[in-house]
Amino acid sequence: MPTSLDYARDERDLIQGTRFNAMAIAVALGGGAALGWAHIGVLRGLNEAKIPVKAVSGTSIGALAAVCFAAGRLDSLERIARSTSWLRILTFLDLQWRPGAMLGGRTIMRELTMHLGDVQFQELFIPAATVAADLITGEPVVISRGPVNPAIMASMAIPGLFRPVKRDGHFLVDGGVVMPVPVAAARMIAPKLPVLSVNLQGDYHGRKVSTAIRMRPDRAHSTMSVVRASTMLLMAELARTSLIIEPPDFALTLAVGHIDIHDFTRADELIEIGRRSVIDQLPAIEALVTKQPDAVR
């Protein structure tokens, strides 16, 4: 079984490209709150398969995973994910009843600073980008320069929970509102590389299980079940439409719908699902590595 040190060494080699003469890929990591722990498994699976990743983009929780990978800090993120309990989650809920949000986000920002410092996008090992939504223009904003921590916070600023982030005249909230799977962002920072997308929202049939929606229920569905299932269906369709508008070279849709999107305590299972998804689709992913630049969309 590979150790954390093995992963760190392999990850550094993959990022720096010292082992490969073959073409690399770019990875677009989609949003999905707690389901984003599966991104760690995807990146681990690519690592184990010796698939060189030379650029990464992320939306929402995918932005966090993307920057941690590009900074060589995936080990730190994995330790946090695997150790997360409901009690630890409560420590991040710094209630702050002010206009625009219920949570302050200060604890999350301190955690980001602790693990990433004041690093800039330009200082990362590989090109990386995060995606947020501008509430003023209604357009996605791709951030690939400047400090990474505010960019991550903007990409994860769930409307109503966290205050929008002001940056360069923009009023930014969670990028999943406009670009749930950031394929376009990956192509902006790595136009010559084939893009592997990772969609956390595509398993609606599994989602019905977690929201307790049944074909023939014993009694009427609860109001909360209907609202949750409808919201998840909306998010699934938004992700599907996003991938139609900007199709990747290969789309990976993870079977994570059975896990509640707010349950951050199931990292072990989610990481293994992400890793196994890569292994199951490895022939198609390996084909991307050998894809010639003029064949890339």
Side-chain angles (χ1 to χ4, degrees):
M1 186 73 178
T3 66
S4 179
L5 180 60
D6 292 330
Y7 276 133
R9 188 183 301 112
D10 288 347
E11 179 183 319
R12 193 162 52 245
D13 286 343
L14 283 171
I15 288 174
Q16 294 174 346
T18 57
R19 293 188 181 182
F20 299 94
N21 295 318
M23 186 178 176
I25 65 171
V27 179
L29 303 175
L35 305 180
W37 295 147
H39 288 319
I40 299 171
V42 169
L43 294 168
R44 293 303 194 203
L46 293 171
N47 186 310
E48 292 173 11
K50 302 297 187 287
I51 303 294
V53 177
K54 291 295 185 66
V56 61
S57 64
T59 291
S60 195
I61 190 72
L64 176 61
V67 171
C68 285
F69 178 75
R73 301 293 292 174
L74 196 62
D75 280 347
S76 296
L77 182 62
E78 183 170 351
R79 282 194 295 270
I80 292 171
R82 292 190 185 275
S83 64
T84 297
S85 63
W86 287 112
L87 182 60
R88 183 168 187 179
I89 291 170
L90 289 176
T91 67
F92 285 94
L93 301 181
D94 53 334
L95 293 175
Q96 183 176 302
W97 297 95
R98 296 172 59 185
M102 293 189 294
L103 304 178
R106 292 165 297 187
T107 308
I108 295 176
M109 194 63 177
R110 282 198 298 268
E111 195 81 9
L112 289 174
T113 302
M114 181 188 306
H115 292 285
L116 293 171
D118 297 319
V119 69
Q120 307 274 315
F121 277 97
Q122 301 92 304
E123 298 171 331
L124 298 174
F125 289 115
I126 59 173
T130 65
V131 178
D134 187 350
L135 287 183
I136 304 299
T137 66
E139 297 292 329
V141 174
V142 177
I143 304 173
S144 59
R145 298 188 66 79
V148 301
N149 291 341
I152 294 171
M153 284 299 298
S155 189
M156 297 196 304
I158 300 173
L161 283 183
F162 298 105
R163 297 186 71 185
V165 174
K166 295 180 181 179
R167 179 186 173 110
D168 299 332
H170 299 291
F171 204 54
L172 303 176
V173 297
D174 194 304
V177 173
V178 289
M179 194 185 292
V181 188
V183 175
R187 290 208 168 101
M188 286 179 64
I189 59 174
K192 295 184 178 181
L193 295 183
V195 177
L196 168 70
S197 68
V198 184
N199 181 12
L200 302 175
Q201 308 286 357
D203 182 23
Y204 177 71
H205 293 292
R207 181 71 61 226
K208 290 191 299 184
V209 174
S210 68
T211 54
I213 294 296
R214 301 288 184 271
M215 181 72 72
R216 294 184 177 85
D218 296 331
R219 54 185 180 275
H221 290 115
S222 69
T223 300
M224 186 57 67
S225 292
V226 172
V227 170
R228 288 175 62 201
S230 300
T231 302
M232 294 303 105
L233 179 58
L234 176 64
M235 294 171 69
E237 285 301 298
L238 179 60
R240 186 178 70 87
T241 301
S242 174
L243 292 171
I244 291 174
I245 294 173
E246 187 69 43
D249 294 277
F250 186 76
L252 200 60
T253 299
L254 305 191
V256 293
H258 62 289
I259 298 176
D260 191 284
I261 199 169
H262 304 110
D263 190 350
F264 284 89
T265 68
R266 297 176 68 175
D268 290 349
E269 181 180 356
L270 285 163
I271 291 171
E272 181 56 27
I273 289 173
R275 177 184 167 279
R276 176 51 55 188
S277 297
V278 169
I279 303 306
D280 290 346
Q281 298 294 332
L282 193 54
I285 296 172
E286 286 178 330
L288 291 182
V289 179
T290 59
K291 200 169 186 178
Q292 296 302 309
D294 57 3
V296 175
R297 182 181 180 278

